[in-house]
Amino acid sequence: MTTLAGRPPRPGQQPDAPPPGRPELHRPTQRVVEPPPQWRGSVLAPIAAGLATLCASTSLTGVVGGAGWLGYVTVAVVLVAATGLALRTIRTPTAVVGLAQLVVLLLLITGVFTGSGILGVIPGPAAFSEINGVLTAAFEQIRTGLPPVEATPPILCLVTIAIGLVAVLVDTLAVAASAPAATGLVLLCVYAVPASLADDMLPWWTFLLGAAAFAGLLAVDGNHRHRRWRNRDSGLGNAPAAASAPVAVVAVAVVLGLVAGTAITAVGTVGRLPGSGRSGAGAGSGGLGVNPFTSLRGMLDQGSTVDLFRVRGLGNDKRLLRAFTLDTYRPNRGWSLPDGPMPAGFPANQPLPAAPGDDGSGEARQIQIEPLNWVDVWMPVYGQLRGLQGVSQGWYYDPTSGAVFSERKQRIPAYVETASLAEPTKEELESASTRGGDIPASYSQITGVDPRVVSLAQDLAAGAATDFDRASAIWRYFSAENGFTYDTETAAATDSDALADFLLNGKRGFCEQFASAMAVMLRVLNIPSRVAVGFTSGYADGDSRMITSQDAHAWVEVYFHDLGWVSFDPTPRSDGRGYVPPYLQSGGTSSGSSDSEEQDVPSVSTTRVAPTGVPETQGSAANPGGTQAAPVGSAPGWTGWTALVLVLIALALTAGAFFAIRKFRGRTASWLPLAAAGAWLVAVVLTAWLVHWVLALVLLLVAVAGMAPAVLREIQRRRRLTAITARRPGAADAAWAELMDECADRGIPIPPSDTVRAAAQKMAVQHNLDDAGKTDLRTVVTEVERSWYSPSQSTDADLATAFEGLRRSLQRNAPMSWRGRLFPRSVFRKR
């Protein structure tokens, strides 16, 4: 080797250090080691945190139907993890990283769940208003829904936001705060929510996944902290001081976890959020709805038809199946059950008292009712109940309200109802009075009604001779001829009083609003009335009738002395599935089905005839706010199959890359990781395109931004290697610059003030170069110094061979981490 003694140092450099000699024995106490890559700088940390969050989110399978929501959650977690990894690579403060992750999550929500974002993804006032509407609809669906609720756009938005926030918190604790153990409390709260809402136990496998992911997070953390990993020291020289910050973080996390867990699990175990219980009067839809019916509708009308009851014994009769009734009206808020506990009631499995108006002389019908997917505190019945068979302990009958109920929500086995289905004639109703009887006076009480509504009711009833005529006049008012339309969306509010606005201006709504309005107008006329909630007659299915979730309905019941409660359904029918009793039909003599009637009469919905065909949905109560998410399904049909094929290819390439790297550890497998990464990227983008093109665009931009540092570094490396191999002028400088960048990418940068030999000595020691590597390093150092001090000489042919051998030695003894490959520090450091 050519001696360099006596040569002047290059300007700006320190005096030459002694050339690297023979390798010495490893003495850790004498080595000067730069701080090793920390846990927060490893790519494994955000990956482990993201996997733990995703595995914990699988607990939502107990409360959210289907598996489509998992795609949204996965995208949110990946974006949060990638944002944190990218920003921490350039040493961004932790607070700024967390804020950036929240901003990325907001951009995702805006792009996917709104249609008014600036450039599609940037939220503005309109987008925030739209998000508020979506979340309001989501909370209403959860409040009223029976788990598992359908994964509607509002539910998908809420789940994405919730898990995205959890991902930010877990990423901050596990990566930035270096306290992955503290994330256990956060992840436990994720399990607490569905566990408290679901009626049944959560699937066992979700607990297994969560436990395995959390154990993996702790294990990976242990590999970094407590062991030498890939020839690197653990960096725990001062354990007490290093542990103080994580201990403080854990302590704070314990307090927050206990407080959050207490607040979240206070929702109870009956599948309802606070405010959905029967006590109190929550606001109805638009201030005019039926509060418990809103709960029922949100629970049942979930987009797809669900079979609820199979009924035998009705024959071709079309009758309304009553679940419960409402007798309390609160102005501008709606109808509800009265305050206080349920009445004592009579045990439903014992002989029952007679219903009002039933003297027991009429024909008794036995009706077999088989609940299929019904879980509630109400046991629906037909007509005037006389007895029940097959009913267990804990069910009670209240003759005043006509409801059969229990103290807790439960699945109901098949039961047989004995009831009177006799209906009064029109003549009997005209001669009957609504005064007298043994019903409570509360069924006639009404306060706080707008004077315009009072005047309308009195005008409609003017000239009617009997209470039945007055009730019929009110009933006939709700027709298409008078401008009323059945719709799952109400008209925009134009008046401060919801009832007056519906009756005089909007005249558009769903059945509970029609029933609410008619019952109020009847009470204004001092006619006892209440709102009944239940189902229409469903459709014929062989010798039985099938009642589905699309048959949920509300109507009015009016009390006549000696005749009992009589049904009036004011909702204008449009699908032919309603039931018009004989006393309201033209001529007053027809009976049974009213399908041939051409007048506007009540209806339950405008959707299905039977679940054998494709539903024609005009609206959904799952989105009561009327807020629509951005359009879905923008991708061509071939996208899904292509994404599936690419996933299979990516799996094969990934397995091949791991095998080849472990087997050959050479350049023969260098293309495999890149090919696998490319296949995964295209597959994920195509999958996102199936959800929404904005989501695919966001993922593509994030991927391009994430891959840009590695691509730039590879371009620079290839340019330098080409210069070295071709022995171009400046080849030695290119070799030295590449070595400095290799050291920086491995987390051990060489100060620019060091001389070539001082830098070479640090490189040999800190990267544990073997003898072959040190020999090649001497050759490279000689060529670098000769190029600096003897520029007229040509580049030695041995430089390319020595440089390639030195790179192989670095790969053997100091392999580069994935973080160094994906986010090389040399790209970001000042030059």
Side-chain angles (χ1 to χ4, degrees), residues 233-361:
D233 291 330
S234 64
L236 293 178
N238 189 0
S244 59
V247 167
V249 172
V250 171
V252 174
V254 168
V255 176
L256 294 179
L258 292 176
V259 172
T262 302
I264 292 175
T265 56
V267 298
T269 58
V270 295
R272 300 290 178 90
L273 290 177
S276 65
R278 63 169 305 279
S279 61
S285 302
L288 183 57
V290 181
N291 186 35
F293 179 81
T294 303
S295 300
L296 180 67
R297 188 178 186 88
M299 178 178 68
L300 300 178
D301 190 3
Q302 300 183 21
S304 59
T305 301
V306 178
D307 293 336
L308 297 177
F309 303 96
R310 183 182 297 277
V311 180
R312 294 180 176 89
L314 281 179
N316 293 324
D317 289 345
K318 287 188 174 182
R319 299 302 175 91
L320 297 172
L321 178 62
R322 182 178 59 249
F324 54 90
T325 58
L326 310 172
D327 64 355
T328 303
Y329 175 74
R330 293 174 171 83
N332 222 33
R333 296 176 65 185
W335 289 79
S336 70
L337 295 165
D339 292 331
M342 293 291 289
F346 297 86
N349 59 350
Q350 297 180 12
L352 302 178
D358 182 19
D359 58 6
S361 60

Side-chain angles (χ1 to χ4, degrees), residues 63-324:
V63 292
V64 181
W69 58 269
L70 190 58
Y72 292 81
V73 168
T74 302
V75 170
V77 172
V78 169
L79 289 178
V80 168
T83 302
L85 180 61
L87 293 180
R88 292 188 186 99
T89 299
I90 57 177
R91 302 181 182 276
T92 305
T94 299
V96 177
V97 172
L99 181 61
Q101 290 173 325
L102 294 176
V103 170
V104 169
L105 182 61
L106 179 59
L107 295 178
L108 172 66
I109 297 300
T110 303
V112 176
F113 297 103
T114 72
S116 54
I118 303 172
L119 300 179
V121 296
I122 301 176
F128 278 115
S129 177
E130 205 169 340
I131 292 175
N132 179 69
V134 172
L135 293 180
T136 300
F139 281 117
E140 180 65 16
Q141 185 177 352
I142 291 179
R143 185 184 71 84
T144 62
L146 176 65
V149 298
E150 185 188 6
T152 59
I155 291 296
L156 291 175
C157 180
L158 179 62
V159 168
T160 304
I161 292 176
I163 300 301
L165 293 176
V166 170
V168 173
L169 184 56
V170 170
D171 185 79
T172 302
L173 289 174
V175 184
S178 301
T183 63
L185 292 168
V186 180
L187 299 177
L188 186 61
C189 290
V190 175
Y191 281 90
V193 174
S196 62
L197 293 176
D199 292 313
D200 301 324
M201 289 290 294
L202 298 180
W204 62 269
W205 53 266
T206 183
F207 293 101
L208 181 62
L209 279 178
F214 182 63
L217 179 61
L218 296 180
V220 172
D221 175 47
N223 283 334
H224 281 74
R225 292 177 169 276
H226 308 300
R227 299 175 58 189
R228 288 180 54 81
W229 186 70
R230 288 196 173 185
N231 299 322
R232 292 179 174 85
D233 291 330
S234 64
L236 293 178
N238 189 0
S244 59
V247 167
V249 172
V250 171
V252 174
V254 168
V255 176
L256 294 179
L258 292 176
V259 172
T262 302
I264 292 175
T265 56
V267 298
T269 58
V270 295
R272 300 290 178 90
L273 290 177
S276 65
R278 63 169 305 279
S279 61
S285 302
L288 183 57
V290 181
N291 186 35
F293 179 81
T294 303
S295 300
L296 180 67
R297 188 178 186 88
M299 178 178 68
L300 300 178
D301 190 3
Q302 300 183 21
S304 59
T305 301
V306 178
D307 293 336
L308 297 177
F309 303 96
R310 183 182 297 277
V311 180
R312 294 180 176 89
L314 281 179
N316 293 324
D317 289 345
K318 287 188 174 182
R319 299 302 175 91
L320 297 172
L321 178 62
R322 182 178 59 249
F324 54 90

Side-chain angles (χ1 to χ4, degrees), residues 329 331 446-459 495-501 503-504 520-521 524-525:
Y329 175 74
I446 192 74
T447 57
V449 181
D450 190 282
R452 292 170 293 175
V453 176
V454 175
S455 177
L456 175 62
Q458 293 173 346
D459 290 343
D495 197 292
S496 59
D497 187 88
L499 177 58
D501 190 43
L503 289 171
L504 303 174
V520 171
M521 296 173 74
V524 165
L525 300 176

